[in-house]
Amino acid sequence: MSNITYNKLCNRFRGFYPVVIDIETSGFDNKLNAILEIAAITLKMNQDGWLEIDQKCHFHVEPFAGAILEPSSLAFNGIDPNNPLRGAVPEKIAIDEIFKVVRNGVKSNDCTRAVIVAHNANFDQGFLMAAAERCKMKRNPFHPFAMFDTATLAGMVYGQTVLAKACEAAKITFDQREAHSALYDTEKTAALFCDMINRFKKLGGWPLSD
């Protein structure tokens, strides 16, 4: 396989299109608790095969009808679901808009499915899939169970599993005052994931040797 072929995003992750996701919620149960904020960042590969940040989507989200809002979770993420200044949109609108961007990215990069990249990805994957089911989304571009967990990857690469600590090890600035904002955490997770993938390339791990 030539370097030109290796430098295509569709060939880097066996046809998967990586999308970095972070979700702030009203609790830990993806069936009972609401998504309050969601951000997604798509990635691209430049002509030299380096992974980079591409498009960003960000929404404040209205809790779905009957959702349980845990006071401890709201205190942790600092979100007031009733604040009109949030500019929150219905869950279906947020998910639909993100899925449109992702589907376009999958198609334009000759990929087969999108795959979630997230820090402690099982949490975000569960909430996104539950929301897609709740909103009866017919064309979910994401793989139903495959994911890239940056906490696990960062543990291997940097010896750190906490996002802030991993960013520090990667020399990526991280402001604790901005943490637990979905967009900020997604931006840092995206930068971290790109750094790990590109670091592996710099070390000679990609393209694969014969």
Side-chain angles (χ1 to χ4, degrees), residues 9 58 69 79 121 129 163 189:
L9 184 61
H58 175 231
L69 309 179
I79 296 175
M129 293 301 171
L163 181 58
T189 302

Side-chain angles (χ1 to χ4, degrees), residues 44-89:
K44 62 183 179 180
M45 189 168 279
N46 69 20
Q47 62 182 4
D48 296 317
W50 302 108
L51 198 62
E52 301 175 342
I53 287 173
D54 192 12
Q55 298 184 72
K56 300 179 183 181
C57 299
H58 175 231
F59 295 95
H60 294 280
V61 183
E62 297 172 359
F64 64 86
I68 295 174
L69 309 179
E70 301 286 355
S72 57
S73 293
L74 301 184
F76 179 75
N77 57 38
I79 296 175
D80 177 5
N82 299 313
N83 187 340
L85 299 178
R86 289 206 310 137
V89 301

Side-chain angles (χ1 to χ4, degrees), residues 134-174:
R134 192 162 47 241
C135 296
K136 297 180 171 56
M137 307 298 291
K138 295 181 179 179
R139 296 175 60 209
N140 186 339
F142 286 97
H143 194 285
F145 57 83
M147 66 190 82
F148 294 143
D149 179 24
T150 54
T152 301
L153 292 172
M156 180 188 72
V157 176
Y158 310 111
Q160 300 288 346
T161 58
V162 175
L163 181 58
K165 293 290 187 181
C167 285
E168 181 182 355
K171 295 181 172 54
I172 297 169
T173 59
F174 193 96

